């Protein structure tokens, strides 16, 4: 299935958009793709840094939540990262690398959503974490 | 990237096991055009980069985050209201890695608390 433009489902705008396309938003699972560009604000010495990887997982989660909310009530809610646990970084991607990011909702408690996220490039693990995202209702 | 554009280090001091720095946030940085339009908030992901860049500057090494066991975002920072932040880092060098416990403070309030291990970037 082809999903609508991802910018419809996240509150961030350029130059702070760290996802390109929504590939899947099925139930608790969301998948996005993102190609690292030379102009990206998180590039240092040609490498996409840790903050960018964390933001990529957070925006993937936001896109999935935003997609489901927009179907339910037509509104996009702003999400904020409350906390991150066990954020592991295995590599800093280089320019033109294509990142595939999978996020799964682990638990929802009131307006907090606990997610686990994994970023891969060419099938190799790049980063992973657990994240607590708060949604402004 | 972030340093000299999003933020500048005003003061930095390194002692044995402790690094203290003050950074100034540039509210006119392009990042705030997208995060969020008409409602500037310093992104949590950028706070993480600020800590890393202060740590690199103090130690004179290029590092990569290996693992952050805990990062807590405790307060949102609107750069048009708060433009000076204090960075406190307790660090311990063990072989090729640096273990840190760090906080970003706005006045007396903590905006971020972090526990992490960095290693040299190869």
């Amino acid at each position: 299935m082809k999903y609508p433009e991802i910018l419809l489902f996240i509150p961030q705008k350029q130059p702070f958009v760290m996802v390109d396309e929504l590939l899947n938003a099925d139930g608790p699972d969301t998948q996005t793709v993102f190609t690292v560009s030379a102009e990206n604000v998180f590039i240092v010495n040609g490498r996409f840094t840790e903050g960018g990887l964390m933001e990529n997982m957070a925006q993937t989660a936001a896109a999935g939540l935003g997609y489901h909310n927009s179907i339910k009530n037509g509104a996009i809610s702003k999400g904020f990262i409350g906390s991150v646990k066990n954020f592991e970084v295995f590599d800093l991607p280089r320019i033109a690398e294509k990142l595939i990011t999978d996020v799964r909702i682990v638990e929802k408690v009131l307006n907090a959503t606990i997610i686990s996220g994994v970023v891969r490039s060419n099938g190799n693990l790049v980063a992973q974490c657990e994240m607590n995202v708060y949604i402004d209702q | 990237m972030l340093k000299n554009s999003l933020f500048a280090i005003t003061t930095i001091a390194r002692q044995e096991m402790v690094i203290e720095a003050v950074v100034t946030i540039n509210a006119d940085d392009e990042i705030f055009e997208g995060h969020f339009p008409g409602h500037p908030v310093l992104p949590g992901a950028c706070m993480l980069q600020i800590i890393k860049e202060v740590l690199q500057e103090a130690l004179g090494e290029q590092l990569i985050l290996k693992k952050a066991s805990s990062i807590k975002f405790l307060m949102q920072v609107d750069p048009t209201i708060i433009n000076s932040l204090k960075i406190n880092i307790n660090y311990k060098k063990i072989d090729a890695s640096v273990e840190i416990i760090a906080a970003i403070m706005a006045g007396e309030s903590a905006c971020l608390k972090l526990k992490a291990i960095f290693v040299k970037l190869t």
Side-chain angles (χ1 to χ4, degrees):
Chain A
M1 132 168 210
K2 175 88 177 152
Y3 286 88
E5 167 66 40
I6 199 163
L7 285 172
L8 294 170
F9 307 122
I10 60 170
Q12 291 86 2
K13 297 281 183 269
Q14 297 295 1
F16 209 72
V17 175
M18 300 297 145
V19 286
D20 289 338
E21 263 181 72
L22 191 55
L23 300 181
N24 178 39
D26 185 18
D29 296 313
T30 303
Q31 188 178 60
T32 60
V33 60
F34 182 60
T35 302
V36 176
S37 77
E39 296 76 38
N40 190 287
V41 293
F42 283 107
I43 293 288
V44 179
N45 299 327
R47 309 288 289 270
F48 187 58
T49 49
E50 298 88 344
L53 292 166
M54 191 172 94
E55 190 63 28
N56 169 257
M57 288 187 269
Q59 290 187 14
T60 299
L65 294 167
Y67 175 73
H68 291 294
N69 278 345
S70 74
I71 290 173
K72 232 189 301 173
N73 51 25
I76 300 176
S77 7
K78 236 175 242 170
F80 293 98
I81 306 172
S83 60
V84 174
K85 270 191 351 195
N86 299 322
F87 176 35
E88 290 184 86
V89 178
F90 304 99
D91 192 22
L92 297 181
R94 290 167 170 81
I95 289 156
E97 265 187 63
K98 190 167 130 183
L99 308 180
I100 300 288
T101 304
D102 286 283
V103 158
R104 165 165 285 195
I105 294 173
V106 178
E107 201 179 352
K108 270 187 175 178
V109 186
L110 301 172
N111 64 339
T113 303
I114 298 164
I115 61 117
S116 69
V118 176
V119 184
R120 291 187 181 86
S121 171
N122 254 325
N124 297 318
L125 201 55
V126 173
Q128 61 186 21
C129 77
E130 296 155 49
M131 200 176 272
N132 199 337
V133 182
Y134 289 91
I135 307 294
D136 264 1
Q137 298 290 359
Chain B
M1 157 267 339
L2 294 180
K3 186 157 79 71
N4 302 327
S5 161
L6 177 67
F7 75 100
I9 298 175
T10 318
T11 65
I12 185 164
R14 173 188 169 183
Q15 294 160 333
E16 206 185 324
M17 301 178 82
V18 180
I19 296 160
E20 287 183 325
V22 175
V23 304
T24 308
I25 307 297
N26 173 18
D28 295 323
D29 189 84
E30 60 172 354
I31 282 174
F32 297 114
E33 291 168 21
H35 195 279
F36 297 95
H39 176 204
V41 176
L42 181 64
C46 294
M47 292 193 199
L48 175 65
Q49 287 307 124
I50 289 172
I51 290 182
K52 179 186 166 182
E53 292 184 24
V54 165
L55 183 65
Q56 289 187 145
E57 179 104 1
L59 300 181
E61 289 172 5
Q62 293 298 306
L63 303 168
I64 176 172
L65 176 71
K66 186 179 176 205
K67 181 174 182 175
S69 55
S70 165
I71 311 174
K72 288 182 180 153
F73 300 100
L74 302 165
M75 194 180 88
Q76 285 187 29
V77 175
D78 175 342
T80 63
I81 298 168
I82 298 167
N83 71 351
S84 176
L85 297 171
K86 212 171 130 194
I87 319 296
N88 298 328
I89 303 173
N90 286 285
Y91 72 96
K92 200 157 68 177
K93 283 185 132 181
I94 299 168
D95 300 324
S97 64
V98 188
E99 289 187 23
I100 70 163
I101 295 175
I104 298 184
M105 309 291 294
E108 296 301 310
S109 308
C111 313
L112 173 147
K113 286 186 176 176
L114 162 82
K115 207 174 161 202
I117 300 171
F118 288 84
V119 292
K120 277 188 189 174
L121 179 67
T122 49

